[in-house]
Amino acid sequence: MLRKHVDMAAGEGTTLAEKSIHHSLRHTTAIHLVKAGVDIATISQWPGHSG
C-alpha cells in the first residue's frame, strides 16, 4: 500500500521517484519529529540520518 502512494506522489513531479521507500519513511518521520519540537541535531544522530 505504501508503494502505491509513493508511486502516486512520484508521478506529481516530486523527487520521490529517485528515492527508496525506506528513505521516504525516514524523511517523513524526521519531518514529523521536527514539527513536534524535537531538536534537529538529535534527529540527525539517529540511524539512517547521520552522514
Side-chain angles (χ1 to χ4, degrees), residues 9-30:
E12 295 178 9
T14 68
T15 61
L16 284 175
E18 304 163 9
K19 308 282 191 279
S20 69
I21 288 178
H22 184 245
H23 173 85
S24 299
L25 286 174
R26 286 186 296 126
H27 177 75
T28 300
T29 300

